[in-house]
Amino acid sequence: MRHSSFPRSSILVYGQDTIHSLVQSTVIAQVEALLENNQIEDAADLANNFASGQALDSDEVETLEYIHQTIAFTLFSQTRFVDAAPHFLAGALDPRILVSYFPELSRPLFTDGEEADMYDGIAKRMPIEASVDDLIRNYSPHLPPSTREAPAAKEIHKILREDAVVMIKSVLQGFKGQGHYRPHRQQEVTDTALAILFARSGDTTSLISHLESTNSASLSAVEPVLLEAGEIGALCALLRVRGDEGRLMEIGKGLVEGRYSDSSVSDPLGNMFALLESKQGKDRAMLQKWGVWLTGQDSERGLMLLMSTKRSAKEKGREEDLSVLSELQRLHPSAARKFLEWLVIVRGRDDAELHAQLVQACVDELLECLQDESTLKLWRAKFASYTSQSSQKQALSPPSTQFQRPQSSFLTYFVSTTPDSPSKRARLKALFALQALSGYNAEMVKSQIVVSGFDKVLGLEVALLDGKMGMHRMALRALALTLRDPISAETYARTGGIVVPSKAVEACGMGEWGALFAAKGGPGILEREKSSEGKGELVRMLLEVYMEDGEPQQTTRLLSSQAASLDAVDVIPLVPPDWPLSSLSPFLTHSFRRTLHAKHESQIIKAICAAQNSKVFEDSYLVFREQGAIIEEADDGEDGDGEPESFNEKDGLAEKFALHLQDQQRSEVADVRPRVSNGEEIDVR
């Protein structure tokens, strides 16, 4: 049976109305009597003796806590702070009560009306002063001119204040070790007050260790103190523990921009990149928000982060891409251009608006490069050198080589002879974008080039834009006569309006653009290529351009190389009368040979069809003969001899059916009309 913790007595004195007991004084009464006589050490010894030698029940535990709190506040009132610390800890005092004497700790922690529980009788032992500073000041001796201003009093105040801080720190650290036995609010106050104390004392190592461990510190109360103390690294550690990535990124931004400073954080920008890379595929909103800002700090790494972000191919993904692009265009135009190029070329966004933006960005960059005088002079020299070489080769070419193909196109010549540079790549990108993309205003782009005064040095680009606008004769004249580029002119005519074929893109070493060309099945394909005329229309147009300008060598070469796309009936009227017949001999030979080949081919087709018809007729004759008679109803009248008209059920049946099949096969054969190059049909019957 559990005995009461109250003192036991064996002597009772009965009165008329009362019963008196002669008992020993309680421990509490003894301690209070000793404290009244300022025998604090004796009171502490009594408390220690009470706690030793036996297991305490709950009442005895509360008694012991009360005793230690009484001793602690007595020492605290006498500014014996270091001596009071173990008694506060042993008394299990609510930390809020002790923290309330330190305004720098209580101000950010407590709300109006917050209350804390304590034992009855403790309040009378607590100092009446509102803060530890007032307690020290009242306890200090009076020194002239005043307690606040006397040097000795200031020194005493400093020493005692340091002791008070040591006390509160040791008590709170002891309370922290008992955290799992305390309510959450008490643990929150303990952790928060400790963090503030470490920050104000500059003990960074202890502060970070405290914040990285499991703790309940109030972030809203600790953060301003850490920022004021310059403990940014510790604040970042706390934010990482709490998982507050958004605020962590904000602090990192402040470090990069110089609003905060902390030598312990060596690479805030790298930390921000590492955090965002860890969020890949998990938080696209965060990546989108911070990726744009990081791109402004480190364009290469920022764009890599944005481009590696997984996005949906659906409408939502498109909206996200456009939103990122819009932010980049507002803050970092150069990075926005690269991101736009990635969206169209690598990501494959088939969007007319994006295509138009990319074309405009490439053209703007190209014209910006031409503002450099050295670049302009170099490109003018390339233009002059290529055109002069082409003219000299035509003038000096001997008869035996006058049909030889030119060595290279202007694009190939430009790529092979121009040193690699940003301006060179800008021009190639502009060419590829103009050729491969659609949805942009070709007339406006051409006008922009002409107004800038660079239309001559950008002759290839202008010819391409003319072709986009459907002005094919003008484009062919620019390629063949102004630029002196027969290869590009012939490519344009042969492919239906393409100036830059995909093979040329691959030869330029820009494989990513080649993928765009391949994805679209070849750029700039005109509807005319699908028509019956096909490529012949533009080839004839190029032939007319050469003949109008009196270019016999190029005309002869074109006739030889593109004979399959030309008709002698259309070519002969265009040939000037003073041209020698030998210049047309190769073309006419090929044309006649091709016509004869077409005739022989159609004769073979006719013979094959006739053989097939005969085989079908032979196979079907016997089958239908075995099918039986065709029943027809006889007339009511008789024939002229008075005899009824007779019918042979099989007479003429096979003959009729054979004639029917012959007519049907003849109509099918008649539909096969081979064509020669001039479009006329050959009668193969």
Side-chain angles (χ1 to χ4, degrees):
M1 181 177 178
R2 181 172 177 269
H3 297 285
S4 172
S5 60
F6 291 101
R8 302 174 63 84
S9 174
S10 57
I11 301 176
L12 297 177
V13 178
Y14 291 90
Q16 185 176 359
D17 299 318
T18 61
I19 299 178
H20 299 275
S21 174
L22 182 62
V23 296
Q24 184 181 0
S25 299
T26 63
V27 175
I28 294 177
Q30 295 178 46
V31 169
E32 289 181 342
L34 292 172
L35 294 177
E36 290 294 336
N37 295 320
N38 200 29
Q39 298 177 347
I40 301 176
E41 286 75 12
D42 294 338
D45 292 339
L46 184 60
N48 293 333
N49 293 332
F50 178 78
S52 62
Q54 60 179 348
L56 303 180
D57 58 24
S58 58
D59 293 334
E60 292 170 338
V61 169
E62 291 179 355
T63 299
L64 185 60
E65 289 177 352
Y66 177 87
I67 292 171
H68 279 294
Q69 290 184 18
T70 303
I71 297 172
F73 275 112
T74 302
L75 293 170
F76 185 76
S77 301
Q78 298 177 9
T79 66
R80 296 171 60 182
F81 301 119
V82 176
D83 295 334
H87 294 285
F88 277 127
L89 190 58
L93 181 71
D94 188 329
R96 292 176 291 176
I97 298 173
L98 189 58
V99 168
S100 65
Y101 284 96
F102 295 82
E104 69 273 18
L105 302 179
S106 61
R107 193 177 298 113
L109 271 173
F110 298 153
T111 58
D112 294 339
E114 185 168 357
E115 297 180 351
D117 295 331
M118 66 175 66
Y119 291 114
D120 290 337
I122 295 298
K124 67 180 181 180
R125 297 286 180 180
M126 294 173 60
I128 61 174
E129 288 80 8
S131 68
V132 69
D133 294 300
D134 294 339
L135 177 63
I136 294 172
R137 191 174 298 112
N138 291 341
Y139 187 78
S140 301
H142 178 73
L143 297 174
S146 67
T147 304
R148 291 179 181 272
E149 299 176 2
K154 290 182 179 180
E155 187 65 24
I156 293 174
H157 185 279
K158 178 182 177 182
I159 294 172
L160 292 177
R161 191 63 164 80
E162 290 175 355
D163 289 345
V165 171
V166 171
M167 175 204 68
I168 186 68
K169 191 181 294 185
S170 63
V171 171
L172 292 176
Q173 285 178 315
F175 286 161
K176 179 177 174 61
Q178 305 170 356
H180 56 287
Y181 300 113
R182 292 183 171 275
H184 173 74
R185 177 56 180 163
Q186 294 186 23
Q187 188 61 37
E188 179 184 1
V189 171
T190 300
D191 291 336
T192 305
L194 267 177
I196 295 174
L197 286 169
F198 287 137
R200 293 189 182 278
S201 64
D203 190 355
T204 305
T205 303
S206 300
L207 174 62
I208 294 179
S209 176
H210 169 65
L211 294 177
E212 287 182 341
S213 62
T214 303
N215 68 83
S216 306
S218 171
L219 182 60
S220 60
V222 170
E223 182 176 344
V225 178
L226 296 178
L227 291 176
E228 181 183 355
E231 295 288 355
I232 310 301
L235 177 58
C236 292
L238 178 60
L239 292 172
R240 277 192 294 269
V241 171
R242 298 294 175 84
D244 193 348
E245 289 93 355
R247 184 57 185 155
L248 189 59
M249 293 295 290
E250 291 285 354
I251 297 299
K253 179 181 179 182
L255 286 168
V256 173
E257 293 178 344
R259 290 185 283 112
Y260 307 132
S261 177
D262 189 347
S263 58
S264 65
V265 184
S266 57
D267 185 13
L269 189 63
N271 295 339
M272 295 177 73
F273 273 110
L275 176 59
L276 283 186
E277 287 167 359
S278 68
K279 305 296 289 184
Q280 285 280 18
K282 301 177 183 177
D283 193 342
R284 290 193 304 181
M286 184 177 181
L287 288 166
Q288 178 178 337
K289 174 183 177 181
W290 287 103
V292 174
W293 183 85
L294 288 173
T295 301
Q297 307 302 315
D298 189 331
S299 176
E300 183 177 351
R301 292 181 68 184
L303 285 176
M304 188 179 300
L305 184 67
L306 289 173
M307 294 174 185
S308 61
T309 302
K310 294 182 180 180
R311 293 181 176 85
S312 170
K314 298 181 180 179
E315 185 65 24
K316 184 178 180 181
R318 176 182 177 275
E319 292 177 357
E320 290 178 358
D321 288 338
L322 292 178
S323 176
V324 172
L325 178 61
S326 176
E327 286 294 312
L328 286 174
Q329 288 173 337
R330 183 173 62 86
L331 300 174
H332 319 292
S334 60
R337 187 178 299 168
K338 295 178 182 178
F339 184 73
L340 174 61
E341 181 180 330
W342 175 81
L343 283 179
V344 177
I345 306 304
V346 180
R347 183 127 175 103
R349 287 291 186 192
D350 192 8
D351 187 290
E353 180 183 353
L354 292 178
H355 289 187
Q357 289 187 35
L358 180 57
V359 168
Q360 189 61 53
C362 290
V363 172
D364 290 342
E365 185 179 6
L366 174 61
L367 297 179
E368 183 180 342
C369 291
L370 285 173
Q371 299 298 327
D372 182 21
E373 191 64 26
S374 60
T375 301
L376 181 59
K377 287 181 179 179
L378 176 63
W379 291 4
R380 281 176 176 169
K382 295 297 177 186
F383 174 81
S385 175
Y386 182 81
T387 55
S388 62
Q389 287 180 11
S390 300
S391 301
Q392 290 174 6
K393 287 179 181 179
Q394 294 177 18
L396 301 177
S397 178
S400 60
T401 61
Q402 55 178 237
F403 300 148
Q404 289 183 357
R405 187 177 182 84
Q407 292 183 357
S408 63
S409 64
F410 175 77
L411 178 58
T412 304
Y413 171 80
F414 178 82
V415 171
S416 61
T417 61
T418 305
D420 191 21
S421 63
S423 58
K424 175 184 175 181
R425 293 184 63 84
R427 182 170 190 181
L428 293 177
K429 287 181 181 179
L431 266 172
F432 300 158
L434 290 172
Q435 182 67 83
L437 302 179
S438 57
Y440 65 92
N441 190 331
E443 184 177 359
M444 184 181 70
V445 174
K446 179 184 176 181
S447 174
Q448 185 179 359
I449 294 175
V450 173
V451 170
S452 65
F454 302 130
D455 51 319
K456 185 175 182 180
V457 72
L458 299 178
L460 190 62
E461 289 82 353
V462 172
L464 193 158
L465 291 169
D466 287 336
K468 287 282 187 176
M469 291 186 288
M471 297 185 293
H472 304 294
R473 183 174 295 274
M474 185 179 295
L476 289 171
R477 288 187 66 86
L479 293 171
L481 304 181
T482 305
L483 196 58
R484 297 290 179 181
D485 185 358
I487 291 185
S488 296
E490 187 175 323
T491 301
Y492 184 98
R494 187 181 68 253
T495 58
I498 296 177
V499 175
V500 183
S502 57
K503 291 183 178 180
V505 178
E506 296 171 1
C508 294
M510 300 179 69
E512 65 276 11
W513 287 85
L516 175 65
F517 277 58
K520 290 187 168 295
I525 299 299
L526 303 180
E527 290 298 325
R528 63 173 60 253
E529 190 178 8
K530 302 176 183 178
S531 66
S532 58
E533 291 84 1
K535 311 165 214 177
E537 180 181 346
L538 291 180
V539 174
R540 286 194 298 272
M541 194 178 295
L542 177 59
L543 181 64
E544 292 172 2
V545 168
Y546 278 138
M547 289 185 174
E548 289 172 3
D549 196 64
E551 288 279 358
Q553 293 183 4
Q554 295 296 343
T555 304
T556 304
R557 191 189 61 79
L558 180 64
L559 288 172
S560 300
S561 62
Q562 297 297 321
S565 301
L566 296 169
D567 192 343
V569 177
D570 297 328
V571 172
I572 292 175
L574 300 176
V575 179
D578 56 345
W579 277 25
L581 183 60
S582 59
S583 61
L584 291 178
S585 296
F587 166 71
L588 293 175
T589 301
H590 293 160
S591 179
F592 293 153
R593 184 180 296 137
R594 190 171 60 257
T595 303
L596 182 62
H597 175 78
K599 179 179 180 181
H600 290 167
E601 187 180 56
S602 44
Q603 289 175 347
I604 293 172
I605 293 174
K606 177 183 177 182
I608 293 173
C609 291
Q612 289 286 57
N613 290 345
S614 299
K615 184 70 169 62
V616 171
F617 173 71
E618 183 179 351
D619 293 343
S620 61
Y621 175 77
L622 295 177
V623 174
F624 278 92
R625 183 177 180 182
E626 296 297 329
Q627 297 303 313
I630 297 177
I631 305 301
E632 295 184 4
E633 186 177 354
D635 293 337
D636 294 338
E638 298 179 350
D639 56 14
D641 297 336
E643 295 272 330
E645 187 177 358
S646 62
F647 296 92
N648 187 341
E649 61 182 15
K650 295 183 180 180
D651 241 359
L653 175 60
E655 182 179 356
K656 290 179 181 179
F657 184 75
L659 290 173
H660 173 71
L661 286 180
Q662 267 189 327
D663 292 338
Q664 185 175 4
Q665 293 294 335
R666 187 179 297 110
S667 64
E668 292 177 358
V669 172
D671 289 339
V672 181
R673 296 178 179 269
R675 294 177 180 269
V676 294
S677 59
N678 60 1
E680 294 185 354
E681 298 177 354
I682 297 177
D683 190 359
V684 296
R685 301 182 192 178

